[in-house]
Amino acid sequence: MTNEPEVGMRHLGLAPWLQTAWDLRAAGNFVGGGSGTGLLIITSLGAFGGLYSRGAILVGLVLVGLGLFSVFLEIGRPLRAMNVLLGGKRSWMTREAFVAAVLFPLGTAALVYPDLAKLIWVPALAYLYCQARILEASKGIPTWRSPLILPLILTTGLAEGAGILLVLAPMAFDSATPPDWAASALIAALAARIFVWMTYRRRMVAGEAPVEAAAVLVAFSAPFTLGGNIIPVVMVIGAGLEPSIAVAALAAAGLAAMAGGWMLKVTIVTKAAQNQGFAIKHSPARGAGEPGPGIKPGWTDSSNT
Amino acid sequence: MTKWAIVADLGRCVGCQTCTTACRHANATPPGVQYRKVLDMEVGTYPDVRRVFVPVGCMHCDEPPCRDVCPTTATKKRADGMVTIDYDICIGCGYCIVACPYQARYKVSKPTFAFKGEATANETKRFDERLLGVAQKCTFCVDRVDYGLANNLTPGIDPEATPACVNACLSKALTFGDTDNPDSNVSTLLRQYKSFRMHEELGTGPNIHYLWESED
């Protein structure tokens, strides 16, 4: 028996502080699950145009599996892990597990029966949606409970998936150059992601998130916008202008888009994850005194009026 | 119906932390875990500055986000309003911890004690291995309340049936009772004083009410 206080278990004052219940292991679930399902969705939709890649499907499933394994490492009682299936009535985490039970058998079957690839997008999209709702249901973390977390997780998942498809193209397809629509899908997903991100960031900074969390998002915004969104678009345009560098440029664009999405989720889950903190609406009257204003430490409108 | 709640009179609370100590004794919570704590807030700007002591903990919400996210159904809400955790089902995923806007939940993975590596007699007596690696929080002393009800005692009135923090409060700032009973101690206080609840805008329906001014 030890006497080591656990990090983050101290009484941390009044203003919102960084949650420590979910660390990189939990973020890993959103990274692997988002990228994996994004790749599966893009690959599955591509199947309607004649695309079939066992490699892409396999990588998608592996990424989702790694994400689940990552979060498995976080739970306190791993031997009870199957209890996660009990809460389907309310919990999006349980629903995510239900969908995984469909996604993996279907994805595995699609490795053998190519026609089934056209169906994978359904459970993959459902899985990605569950992940977004998991964050949105976390009422204790203002940057997660924003309704905009839904489109943000969905669009970044698709951008990451399209990016990984471009990275895999030289290995996954007969032709080293990926189909034209893959690059177009990446551009569309990046445009949607950056639009949602800008709106999300603006609302967080405008007072929907604690000051400290908003500062993290502001600091992250420039490198994310440039490195994870603008540079990939420039690379895709460059690939179109100069065919001799197309394979490398598209792969680099995909890698940058994927890395940007991963950093986005790591930042939101582990860095811009300050909790609600404490607040009072009024100060009490004491003795013959008069009541006073309330206080909401750590928020832009700290008067809590 | 019954709906248990705590009324905290902010005008009475002196920040002595006796409730915190009583809670820690009753539950033998490890270092860093405080089911009941009292915040020390400084409000205003010089020269109009005041100190406010605010008892906080699990609010046993009407619509508890912790229950809604729990993937195992370990977190439940009883008919009398108490939010409980089944330690034998919980997997310790921590989802409820990030779902709670009151920072009321904890997870401890290793046994830890107040004084070095050795447990005190009270810690040894009350140590519960089931709490390791799972979520834990204030129970409103559900065992005391249930014991009292089974023995025709009135929670909030009879000390044996009342949460330890409320019993210990030396300034009578904390009151426990049934808000569904219009004649109860807490209902009477809520009629006599103006009150608010913390983060009410989040729609959780918290059941710790803070009194801040007399209606007179």
Side-chain angles (χ1 to χ4, degrees):
Chain A
M1 293 184 174
T2 64
N3 193 41
E4 300 168 14
E6 297 201 2
V7 175
M9 298 297 289
R10 302 179 302 276
H11 172 46
L12 288 166
L14 310 173
W17 64 90
L18 186 63
Q19 66 82 21
T20 54
W22 281 6
D23 57 19
L24 271 175
R25 291 167 292 184
N29 187 34
F30 295 101
V31 166
S35 283
T37 53
L39 176 59
L40 290 170
I41 292 166
I42 300 284
T43 304
S44 178
L45 295 178
F48 289 94
L51 174 81
Y52 177 71
S53 168
R54 282 193 181 86
I57 294 173
L58 189 61
V59 169
L61 292 173
V62 167
L63 281 170
V64 176
L66 285 174
L68 286 172
F69 179 69
S70 178
V71 78
F72 172 79
L73 297 175
E74 176 114 60
I75 64 178
R77 294 278 189 164
L79 294 179
R80 300 177 188 167
M82 295 310 286
N83 286 357
V84 80
L85 298 172
L86 299 174
K89 186 177 175 186
R90 291 192 176 91
S91 177
W92 285 100
M93 190 178 277
T94 300
R95 293 167 188 166
E96 179 197 49
F98 286 165
V99 175
V102 175
L103 179 65
F104 281 103
L106 180 62
T108 306
L111 295 173
V112 181
Y113 305 105
D115 284 347
L116 291 177
K118 292 177 181 172
L119 299 177
I120 299 176
W121 71 271
V122 178
L125 183 61
Y127 190 93
L128 187 57
Y129 181 73
C130 287
Q131 289 214 320
R133 293 300 298 265
I134 285 173
L135 284 176
E136 194 211 20
S138 303
K139 279 199 172 180
I141 312 296
T143 53
W144 300 0
R145 69 174 180 239
S146 165
L148 286 173
I149 206 72
L150 280 170
L152 189 59
I153 292 296
L154 293 173
T155 55
T156 192
L158 293 173
E160 292 159 34
I164 295 173
L165 191 67
L166 293 180
V167 173
L168 292 176
M171 298 159 279
F173 304 117
D174 295 337
S175 162
T177 309
D180 290 342
W181 61 262
S184 302
L186 178 64
I187 298 279
L190 287 175
R193 178 169 82 176
I194 199 65
F195 174 74
V196 176
W197 163 254
M198 291 299 185
T199 311
Y200 169 82
R201 194 205 67 164
R202 188 165 58 246
R203 283 177 55 166
M204 293 301 109
V205 173
E208 289 189 21
V211 171
E212 198 176 327
V216 172
L217 296 178
V218 167
F220 175 70
S221 190
F224 172 65
T225 302
L226 187 64
N229 298 277
I230 294 175
I231 286 179
V233 171
V234 170
M235 287 176 172
V236 169
I237 294 170
L241 294 175
E242 183 52 63
S244 64
I245 63 162
V247 174
L250 289 175
L255 200 61
M258 180 201 76
W262 288 17
M263 290 312 299
L264 170 70
K265 283 182 267 198
V266 167
T267 299
I268 289 177
V269 174
T270 68
K271 294 186 172 73
Q274 280 68 19
N275 59 28
Q276 181 71 27
F278 297 103
I280 54 173
K281 283 189 166 60
H282 306 276
S283 299
R286 284 185 184 277
E290 294 294 317
I295 187 170
K296 191 177 182 182
W299 289 76
T300 308
D301 181 14
S302 61
S303 63
N304 198 32
T305 51
Chain B
M1 292 294 287
T2 300
K3 186 160 93 171
W4 300 117
I6 282 181
V7 169
D9 189 338
L10 297 181
R12 281 177 171 267
C13 182
V14 295
C16 66
Q17 305 282 354
T18 308
C19 56
T20 305
T21 308
C23 173
R24 296 193 71 156
H25 179 80
N27 295 287
T29 52
V33 176
Q34 292 178 236
Y35 295 168
R36 171 74 62 244
K37 55 188 173 188
V38 181
L39 307 175
D40 185 344
M41 291 184 166
E42 192 175 281
V43 186
T45 52
Y46 178 83
D48 185 16
V49 182
R50 62 188 75 206
R51 254 175 117 184
V52 186
F53 302 106
V54 185
V56 294
C58 175
M59 303 278 174
H60 295 267
C61 301
D62 293 338
E63 297 295 335
C66 53
R67 176 204 54 183
D68 292 348
V69 301
C70 178
T72 68
T73 67
T75 293
K76 292 187 174 69
K77 187 164 177 64
R78 303 198 331 174
D80 62 5
M82 290 193 193
V83 176
T84 60
I85 302 173
D86 186 335
Y87 305 125
D88 295 323
I89 294 178
C90 178
I91 61 173
C93 66
Y95 197 4
C96 55
I97 297 175
V98 293
C100 174
Y102 303 100
Q103 295 77 240
R105 287 181 167 237
Y106 302 85
K107 187 172 86 171
V108 173
S109 55
K110 296 177 292 189
T112 54
F113 302 106
F115 300 102
K116 302 294 181 186
E118 199 167 321
T120 63
N122 183 58
E123 285 171 329
T124 301
K125 180 182 173 187
R126 296 173 193 264
F127 179 74
D128 186 349
E129 193 274 339
R130 296 179 309 151
L131 269 67
L132 296 178
V134 302
Q136 56 176 302
K137 67 168 189 75
C138 159
T139 65
F140 262 4
C141 285
V142 62
D143 50 340
R144 299 171 69 93
V145 171
D146 286 349
Y147 166 84
L149 292 171
N151 290 277
N152 295 319
L153 301 173
T154 304
I157 303 296
D158 297 303
E160 298 90 337
T162 301
C165 58
V166 177
N167 281 339
C169 182
L170 53 79
S171 59
K172 295 199 183 302
L174 296 178
T175 307
F176 182 79
D178 175 11
T179 51
D180 271 3
N181 175 0
D183 300 321
S184 72
N185 50 359
V186 287
S187 295
T188 304
L189 283 170
L190 290 172
R191 273 197 305 275
Q192 290 175 339
Y193 292 85
K194 291 178 182 174
S195 65
F196 67 85
R197 297 185 289 176
M198 195 179 286
H199 305 327
E200 205 168 2
E201 68 281 5
L202 296 178
T204 52
N207 280 304
I208 294 183
H209 301 255
Y210 296 101
L211 307 183
W212 59 282
E213 188 181 23
S214 169
E215 290 283 9
D216 299 330

